[in-house]
Amino acid sequence: MDQMEIEDSKHMTKKLTMKGLITEVELHRRKPPSRRFSVCLGLMCALLLVGNIGQILYNHMFIHPISADLIQAGAAEKLQLEATLTNLTEDKDQLQKSYNTLKQEKDQLQTNYSNMQKSSDELQREKHELQRNYSSLETSYTDLNQSKYQLQSRYQSLSRDKDELEQSYNDLRRNNEQLQTNYSSLETIRGGLTRERDQIEQSYSILKQEKDQLQSNYEGMQRNLTNLQREKHELKTQFNEVRTNRDELQRSISALKSDKDQLQRSKDNLQSRYNTLQREKDQLRTDYNSLTAVRDQLQQRVNRMDRACPSGWNKFGESCFYVSYKSRSWSSSRDFCNSKGGHLAILNSRDKMRFFEGFLESYTHAWIGLTDRVSEGTWRWVDQTWPSTTFWGSGQPDDYNSGEDCGEIRKEGSAVDWNDNDCNVERFCICEKAL
């Protein structure tokens, strides 16, 4: 074995030990049992070799002096071969370092992918929890609707009793129209909740599809990991040949670069899906809060509708009304209503006007909480809101003699409307307070 082979053997042994393919203990076990004998035998061989080389050099230098050029050429070729071997060894070390670096990057990307998968599973669990809360809220909403329908039925029964006492067919017809309007409003609310439920179901379908896509990506990563393990085994079996090992490492580096790019793309896709799931989670939370607020509002309305008005007051919707048949000015009527714990009536809907159309007697005039004292022509209710719907009589308000700044309700015949009048005129008054 020449010097180049001895150095290459030492280098390969060192590499095998560093890579963990064989341990130092196994290496020592593989050594010959008599190390001194081997050393002595090697020295004897070296002396014989030196003697032979000296004899050959003597023959070439003294007997055949013309072959000195051949010796120099051989020495130069040997140096060139040693330099080539050194370059190959350095190339192999550099490729090995690149391989180790890419292996570490791949492991880091795999860890990131696992963390993203855990985050995705957590979001899925939160989504299922929100779905259960939404189902519970829908059940609560259904129960509230049933309670409202029951209260509505009770209200209808009370209205029928009242109609039987008053012997008025017209009152019964108006109450039925009122109930129909309330039913239409409830139908509108129910339609809105149904649309929101459909939107949530659509979002759930999208999340399920994205979950299936993540599962497919995970299986692809498992296959890539199996391929990498198989390539690692092939690298171990071909490690003894330096040139072949260098080519194999080059191919492995290319494959690892491709896997790195694939893992990076998978990571970006997972990040995008994670952001999408986060936004959908926030949207579900917002929808849940909105439904909770609607439920609370409905509960409050049900509670108010279940309350009874004080003695002498008449219930309509969520308010109680009191008609005073004592004549007063508008200001005195306002103070009177305030002393009763209410205010002059705010008749801002067609339903309230229909209620008083059947309640008031013909040719009745009564003050309501409407005035333009602050700014002429700008009518406001006593709670400082502007009328969104008006029921002025024909040609009203006319501000007759520039002194009619207060509003009254009047019933002439069977119809009711509004009229402006002098605030100092004494009229009946209608008070209102919430349940």
Side-chain angles (χ1 to χ4, degrees), residues 23-33:
T23 61
E24 293 184 0
V25 176
E26 292 177 347
L27 185 63
H28 287 301
R29 290 176 179 175
R30 294 180 184 180
K31 292 181 178 181

Side-chain angles (χ1 to χ4, degrees), residues 159-171:
S159 298
R160 285 193 298 269
D161 293 340
K162 177 183 176 182
D163 294 337
E164 290 175 359
L165 292 173
E166 294 180 353
Q167 298 294 321
S168 175
Y169 172 77
N170 291 329
D171 290 344

Side-chain angles (χ1 to χ4, degrees), residues 57 60 64-77:
L57 290 174
H60 281 285
H64 302 287
I66 196 170
S67 62
D69 295 335
L70 294 176
I71 293 173
Q72 293 178 356
E77 183 177 0

Side-chain angles (χ1 to χ4, degrees), residues 70 100 131 139 247 258 280 310 428 430:
L70 294 176
N100 294 335
Q131 283 297 131
T139 303
D247 297 337
S258 177
E280 291 177 353
F428 299 159
I430 301 174

